[in-house]
Amino acid sequence: MLKRRDVLALFLILLPWALLVTLWHQRAVNPLIPVPKDNRTGATRRGYRLHESCITENKRNTKATQMKYFHQRPPPWSDTLPTLHVITPTYSRPVQKAELTRLTNTLLHVPNLHWLVVEDSAQKTALVSRLLENTGLNYTHLNVETPENLRTQKKPRNVRIPRGTMQRNLALRWLRENINPNSSHKGVVYFADDDNTYSLELFEEMRWTRKASVWPVAFVGGLRYESPKINSQGKVFGWRTVFDPRRPFAIDMAGFALNLQLILSKPQAYFKLKGVKGGYQESSLLQDLVTLRDLEPKAANCTKILVWHTRTERPLLVNEGKKGFTSGNVEV
Amino acid sequence: MRMRLKLKTVFVLYFMVSLLGLIYALMQLGQRCDCRDHDMSRDVQISQLRGELQKLQEHIKTSELSKKNDVPKIFVITPTYARLVQKAELTRLSHTFLHVPQLHWIVVEDAPQPTPLVTDFLAASGLTYTHLHKLTPKDRKLQEGDPSWLKPRGAEQRNEGLRWLREMGAAAKGKEAAGLEEAVVYFADDDNTYSLQLFEEMRYTYRVSVWPVGLVGGMKFERPVVEDGKVVRFHTGWRPNRPFPIDMAGFAVSLRLVLTNPQARFDGDAQMGFLESSFLQNLVTMDDLEPKADLCTKVLVWHTRTEKPKMKREDALQKQGLGSDPDVEV
């Protein structure tokens, strides 16, 4: 016959074990959200370093700016949405800060976005560094200077390289060096120039890219829009352009997105630097990665315009004169 | 006695084991568990992700923005007209405005009636808006090939916006009227670039507040010059002797001032560069101007202009009857 004392003893012994078992069982069903740590080592964890560091970065930033304009905060990070790695090459000119500001205002609406800003400069400029810090976005700031002899103006066609090529390649290299292809990190890579206009719908269309997705782009090739040609099976079979539609990929930089795994699995694929004819830059990368059959048409089977190739006028600073009428201390 | 001894050792034993287990579990907290054995079918996964996306998008729309009800409203008047880049301009402008709490966008089309493009766009934008239209009379309108500075643009449309505001102000009662007491009116062209900080600077305007504007007047920026907290003159490279040598994007007016001065409007026949003055000189003196943006030392708005896209191939195709599908809205 069990005494009360024994029953009590038995109960007290079993209680913590029961708690432990339930705890373990909980973990098996719902993985615990990892607590961000500063010193992370080990290749397997590298894939998460990205978004974890970004989460802490976001938290820090939002606290700092919370006093004034907390509405700037990007949407909360989701553990299940694929990450959009948006690569933006940029260079210093009067409208640079304006362009980056309005691009920021668009990107702040997009969840799970990682912005790779690559400056065409020898060093990271204070303007861009400060701007990126203040946005609250999840970003990576890189820079590489295009050598003078390869810049677009005043050089014969076969020598110069299209603007932004070296910068985009650097971003691709960064992704390859910092994301482990074996991690379960899902991502999509998109090249977004800083003067184009992007709708929010576009980012959601490209998020579900399996290999490579394509869509129409407005105001390119001297047309209202250029778009891929889609057949009745929903596959791309050609390009609706006037300018050289026989290019392997007659598409603008803003008209396609690539699955991150594709980039990581083919580490030799880059934009070609030299010997690229005008309009063939996109093809120089894509032909090493996909064929026409692999392309996934988006934007309602390529019938909607979700991105515009806008260009900003160069401001006429005629009244500045030789010495500069306005104060150099004010950042524009 | 025997029972007690047994208990003691058992207790010590389980205490040690549980302690070790707890330490182990705490260490595990920092690691990611290997959960690759979630064998869901692809479709289920996709639908789950889409659902998650929906949730996030809804979160964006109903986030703190709606909670912040106690700040003064900003009425933004944007004149717009149909051209190729119109939808693009309005799109990126709306992305900026979506971040600003208590913003009411008044879009005034230069058209005889509201166009489907703008109507559909505004309906999908997620913003609080009013859609108006006012056609510029032919003699005041810029013709094809005219340089942009020949005639002032948008005067009729801005006046229409002011008219609507005055109508609304007169009809407002009680709580609504109280809410409008501190509201602010800003004229935002659809091709400029606005930082989010700008709207917070202008929100608390008693009469007329001013700040620098970048990339305008042929200079990196134009600005009011502030001494002892007051505007004493304007730093501009072009005709500084205007009553208010300031760009449309460089000032905001309190709604109260607009409502108490029903005759104040933009003069469509004004000389080039005098459009702003034609409105402001009836409302305020330079002395009363409130300098913002760190006493007018920071550039928070840029007078960017968008290039007209080259359509030579499109035009050539149109001549052959092979133009792009006009049903596709650009």
Side-chain angles (χ1 to χ4, degrees), chain A residues 6 80 109 311 313 320, chain B residues 3 52 95 220 305 307:
Chain A
D6 294 340
T80 44
H109 291 291
R311 288 168 57 86
E313 274 184 20
E320 285 286 351
Chain B
M3 199 61 201
E52 175 120 21
H95 294 164
K220 282 219 189 101
R305 291 170 56 85
E307 276 183 19

Side-chain angles (χ1 to χ4, degrees), chain A residues 241-269:
Chain A
T241 79
V242 167
F243 171 66
D244 209 343
R246 299 239 190 87
R247 287 174 276 165
F249 294 89
I251 196 165
D252 183 79
M253 198 64 73
F256 67 91
L258 300 162
N259 189 299
L260 181 64
Q261 281 301 326
L262 192 62
I263 302 277
L264 299 179
S265 62
K266 300 199 176 163
Q268 311 308 322

Side-chain angles (χ1 to χ4, degrees), chain B residues 87-138:
Chain B
K87 192 177 181 189
E89 300 282 45
L90 292 175
T91 299
R92 56 183 170 186
L93 195 54
S94 72
H95 294 164
T96 298
F97 291 160
L98 277 167
H99 290 293
V100 185
Q102 289 297 310
L103 185 143
H104 186 130
W105 198 15
I106 302 171
V107 178
V108 194
E109 291 196 73
D110 186 350
Q113 61 230 12
T115 60
L117 187 148
V118 177
T119 309
D120 295 341
F121 166 77
L122 287 173
S125 65
L127 288 163
T128 307
Y129 68 90
T130 296
H131 186 185
L132 306 170
H133 60 96
K134 186 90 169 129
L135 188 62
T136 311
K138 262 214 165 90

Side-chain angles (χ1 to χ4, degrees), chain A residues 113-269:
Chain A
L113 185 131
H114 175 216
W115 197 20
L116 290 105
V117 179
V118 195
E119 292 196 73
D120 188 345
S121 61
Q123 276 140 331
K124 296 183 171 59
T125 61
L127 188 148
V128 176
S129 305
R130 259 201 305 264
L131 187 139
L132 289 174
E133 263 172 48
N134 290 331
T135 58
L137 279 170
N138 180 1
Y139 71 89
T140 296
H141 187 185
L142 305 168
N143 68 294
V144 62
E145 193 177 24
T146 311
E148 196 61 43
N149 59 338
L150 291 176
R151 283 179 192 268
T152 24
Q153 284 84 7
K154 297 174 195 153
K155 290 285 170 201
R157 271 240 148 112
N158 56 344
V159 174
R160 53 188 155 110
I161 56 174
R163 186 147 52 193
T165 310
M166 286 185 68
Q167 288 71 35
R168 292 185 192 100
N169 281 345
L170 180 64
L172 287 175
R173 209 179 83 194
W174 187 94
L175 288 169
R176 285 167 176 146
E177 283 173 2
N178 287 277
I179 299 183
N180 183 353
N182 298 324
S183 73
S184 60
H185 174 88
K186 286 182 282 216
V188 174
V189 177
Y190 181 57
F191 298 98
D193 289 348
D194 62 8
D195 56 356
N196 292 341
T197 304
Y198 310 91
S199 69
L200 300 181
E201 216 184 315
L202 175 74
F203 294 105
E204 299 319 316
E205 289 277 309
M206 72 171 77
R207 205 186 283 279
W208 313 102
T209 301
R210 292 204 172 108
K211 264 196 164 171
S213 51
V214 291
W215 50 78
V217 180
F219 312 142
V220 281
L223 298 171
R224 271 174 82 229
Y225 62 89
E226 275 185 355
S227 86
K229 284 197 216 170
I230 314 293
N231 62 17
S232 49
Q233 279 96 38
K235 291 267 173 210
V236 178
F237 69 95
W239 310 97
R240 210 203 140 271
T241 79
V242 167
F243 171 66
D244 209 343
R246 299 239 190 87
R247 287 174 276 165
F249 294 89
I251 196 165
D252 183 79
M253 198 64 73
F256 67 91
L258 300 162
N259 189 299
L260 181 64
Q261 281 301 326
L262 192 62
I263 302 277
L264 299 179
S265 62
K266 300 199 176 163
Q268 311 308 322

Side-chain angles (χ1 to χ4, degrees), chain B residues 133-267:
Chain B
H133 60 96
K134 186 90 169 129
L135 188 62
T136 311
K138 262 214 165 90
D139 56 343
R140 284 195 186 159
K141 218 182 166 114
L142 280 175
Q143 300 306 318
E144 193 76 36
D146 277 349
S148 63
W149 45 261
L150 195 63
K151 289 172 189 148
R153 264 204 304 218
E156 279 79 12
Q157 287 73 39
R158 293 186 190 98
N159 286 338
E160 173 68 9
L162 291 171
R163 184 203 61 77
W164 182 88
L165 279 173
R166 286 168 175 141
E167 205 177 271
M168 187 222 25
K173 289 178 178 59
K175 212 172 155 191
E176 205 191 318
L180 297 177
E181 256 308 295
E182 294 176 326
V184 180
V185 181
Y186 182 54
F187 299 96
D189 289 347
D190 62 8
D191 55 356
N192 291 341
T193 304
Y194 310 90
S195 70
L196 300 180
Q197 193 182 351
L198 176 72
F199 297 99
E200 300 318 312
E201 293 282 314
M202 74 172 73
R203 205 183 279 281
Y204 299 95
T205 296
Y206 187 64
R207 287 202 188 84
V208 175
S209 52
V210 291
W211 49 78
V213 178
L215 311 173
V216 71
M219 304 208 299
K220 282 219 189 101
F221 61 91
E222 269 185 351
R223 68 181 180 102
V225 177
V226 176
E227 274 166 31
D228 283 333
K230 287 217 172 281
V231 177
V232 293
R233 63 179 184 280
F234 293 92
H235 183 91
T236 160
W238 187 77
R239 294 236 197 142
N241 297 321
R242 293 173 276 163
F244 288 94
I246 194 167
D247 184 77
M248 195 66 71
F251 68 91
V253 185
S254 74
L255 180 62
R256 197 189 49 247
L257 207 61
V258 169
L259 297 178
T260 53
N261 290 282
Q263 73 291 349
R265 52 171 45 87
F266 292 93
D267 182 2

